[in-house]
Amino acid sequence: MRTARSRPGPLFQLGARRQRAEHPHARPGAIQPGAARRLFLARVVAAALALIGAWLPASAAHAAGTVTIADRSPKEDDGRWKLKMTINYGGTPHLGHIPMLFSFTPTVHYERALTDKSPETPILVRIPLQNQQSINESMDVGFSDGSGKIFAITKFDFVLRRDRGFEAGEYELVIKRASDDVQMGQKQKITLQGDNPVIDRRAIVFSGEKKKKDDKAEKADAEKSGEPAKEASEAEAAPDAAEGEAPADGAPTEAPPPVEPKQGGCGCRLSPDEAATPLALPLVAVGAAAALARRHRARRARRARRARRA
């Protein structure tokens, strides 16, 4: 006995044919490649938006307000530089005076140096600096007037001095609130114009005349050579005066006193003990002659004895 089977209606068959025509390889319940790609892109965009939303509050918390400097390249005036600032707190502060920290980090030093190419006029040399220690200055910035009314914007003048460690060059300025370490505005670059002390970079040259010999050294050399240095120098300095001639100005000069002639000998003075020594010379000669005669007689006696024995 045959049972009757339910056959789908014409409308159902028409929908199935259209689905097979559009997606011939589609399977019931499977995700298409295009839909998976779109789903992946949607998830990536959602994650990026979440990260951006989390980053914006953090950046807003670490930078508040704005700081504007009228002249970022001030000129030096009597060892000082003045920075004229306009500070916007970003809202009405809760106090009339807010303690702030101004940090200046040196980045470029302006050196004035004398070189071999420019020995007289100093030249300007810009020296880049890295990993330099910041110069920190703490100041209270006022946002109120005499009546006690507090404003969100104020004008503030900051003075930099050489005795505080500042020199002509380039710096990076960062301003922070001392209470919560929140940065005010953005990091700014300033240039302090001026003349730093001159540094001598020229090469060192050792030059000079030879030193003259001392009098002691001349005397020692004269003694070695056997010539008195003092008398020679005096004779060379004044040869005309030694000969008794008048000097160049015509003034008469007296002749030197006569000197008695020496009676021979070496010209040396002897002490009384040494003066008696010539008397002993004959005695020494007689003794020597007697000794020679005695030796001569002894030799003759020995020869006579040998002759007798022979």
Side-chain angles (χ1 to χ4, degrees), residues 222 227-238:
E227 298 177 1
K230 188 174 182 180
E231 295 179 1
S233 61
E234 291 178 355
E236 293 176 1

Side-chain angles (χ1 to χ4, degrees), residues 199-214:
I199 299 177
D200 194 350
R201 299 290 186 186
R202 294 175 295 180
I204 300 176
V205 179
F206 296 94
S207 62
E209 299 178 359
K210 295 183 179 180
K211 295 183 178 180
K212 296 182 178 180
K213 294 183 179 179
D214 298 338

Side-chain angles (χ1 to χ4, degrees), residues 179-237:
S179 59
D180 51 5
D181 202 28
V182 173
Q183 180 175 330
M184 297 296 298
Q186 301 297 326
K187 182 186 299 184
Q188 302 191 45
K189 177 182 177 181
I190 63 174
T191 301
L192 303 182
Q193 299 183 10
D195 295 333
N196 290 328
V198 179
I199 299 177
D200 194 350
R201 299 290 186 186
R202 294 175 295 180
I204 300 176
V205 179
F206 296 94
S207 62
E209 299 178 359
K210 295 183 179 180
K211 295 183 178 180
K212 296 182 178 180
K213 294 183 179 179
D214 298 338
D215 295 340
K216 295 182 179 180
E218 292 180 356
K219 290 180 180 180
D221 297 338
E223 290 177 359
K224 291 180 180 179
S225 60
E227 298 177 1
K230 188 174 182 180
E231 295 179 1
S233 61
E234 291 178 355
E236 293 176 1

